Amino acid sequence: MVAELVVSLSGIGPSTLARCAGLAAELDRRRVPLSLLFAPRKAVPGAALDWVLSRVAAGDALVLHGFDHQPDPTHRAVSLRRRAEFSALPAHEAGLRLVAARAAVARLGLATDLFAPPGWLASPGTVVALRRHRFAVCADMAGVRDLRTGDVRPGRVRMVGEHWSYLLGVGRAARRGGLVRIGVDAADLDRLGPREVLLEAVDLALHHGASPTTYSSTASPRGSTTTSTPSGAVPTRTR
């Protein structure tokens, strides 16, 4: 079985834009698309948002990455590990935040039915709410869930980390022919090490025959049901 490679980028903003664009250029040369993790409440008009719009119009995937990343919005006592925005929410409260996030995304001229929770942690109630609100995909820490069929593709997300152990993990996943998920926060790209490790990991996965894709097509052969392209835009890159 041929492995699939998904590279996701979070933390896109005015202060990280140059690093994001540099990484995207390197991946474009390798014909590897990006899945852009996007929190609409944190987005501000300007060059960074324009860059996201242009990347999505050209074929990258837009993935809703929470609403505002407020930790523990319910104010309940939870462990440190479970303070990510959607990690402990019941279905009703998760649904309210999803509705607000989708409305904010729409005001920016975008749309998506892909979701990756902050911290890659989604409560059972969040999964229920995602289905109710017709999301197609939920990518969490351990795998990618097709919310329409219930199928889950195993494959943990590998955030850029220590050089050798990180590369070994990516290499093993690619050789097994499964789903290879590489994630990076733009804040980590200000150092040469993480950026080079990420590119080496991508090259290693490609060397083992992994097929580059995005979260819009990992859950099922049908892919995502909602376009992430701004109204009136025509994608110019094919993947």
Side-chain angles (χ1 to χ4, degrees):
M1 183 171 63
V2 176
E4 287 188 299
L5 170 66
V6 178
V7 181
S8 61
L9 174 65
S10 60
I12 305 164
S15 64
T16 60
L17 178 57
R19 298 169 226 158
C20 294
L23 175 64
E26 289 287 350
L27 294 176
D28 284 346
R29 283 192 277 273
R30 294 163 170 80
R31 297 184 180 275
V32 174
L34 274 167
S35 292
L36 304 174
L37 274 53
F38 186 74
R41 189 69 178 269
K42 297 170 73 69
V44 296
L49 181 57
D50 291 343
W51 183 80
V52 170
L53 289 164
S54 67
R55 292 295 304 185
V56 170
D60 285 348
L62 185 75
V63 183
L64 184 63
H65 191 44
F67 179 45
D68 58 9
H69 290 202
Q70 176 185 331
D72 186 22
T74 64
H75 304 293
R76 285 186 290 265
V78 293
S79 68
L80 286 173
R81 185 176 178 271
R82 297 184 61 80
R83 283 185 181 169
E85 183 183 3
F86 282 85
S87 63
L89 292 180
H92 176 69
E93 293 175 33
L96 293 176
R97 296 186 75 79
L98 290 173
V99 168
R102 261 194 167 162
V105 168
R107 285 194 294 270
L108 298 173
L110 292 163
T112 185
D113 57 8
L114 314 174
F115 183 77
W120 302 98
L121 296 172
S123 66
T126 294
V127 175
V128 170
L130 288 166
R131 288 197 181 104
R132 286 177 180 170
H133 292 280
R134 299 184 181 276
F135 279 79
V137 171
C138 178
D140 63 21
M141 182 73 74
V144 180
R145 183 186 302 271
D146 187 326
L147 296 164
R148 299 157 300 187
T149 66
D151 293 339
V152 179
R153 290 195 61 186
R156 72 180 182 88
V157 64
R158 301 172 189 274
M159 299 302 291
V160 172
E162 187 179 347
H163 187 258
W164 291 112
S165 62
Y166 184 82
L167 290 178
L168 286 172
V170 169
R172 282 195 298 268
R175 287 193 299 272
R176 287 197 299 264
L179 182 60
V180 181
R181 301 168 63 202
I182 296 174
V184 65
D185 189 309
D188 293 328
L189 296 175
D190 62 346
R191 294 178 289 122
L192 182 61
R195 180 177 178 275
E196 293 307 312
V197 169
L198 184 147
L199 293 174
E200 286 184 46
V202 168
D203 289 340
L204 182 61
L206 295 175
H207 172 76
H208 287 296
S211 175
T213 187
T214 67
Y215 283 124
S216 66
S217 56
T218 52
S220 84
R222 290 177 296 167
S224 177
T225 58
T226 300
T227 178
S228 295
T229 305
S231 177
V234 178
T236 57
R237 275 202 313 269
T238 56
R239 300 297 189 191

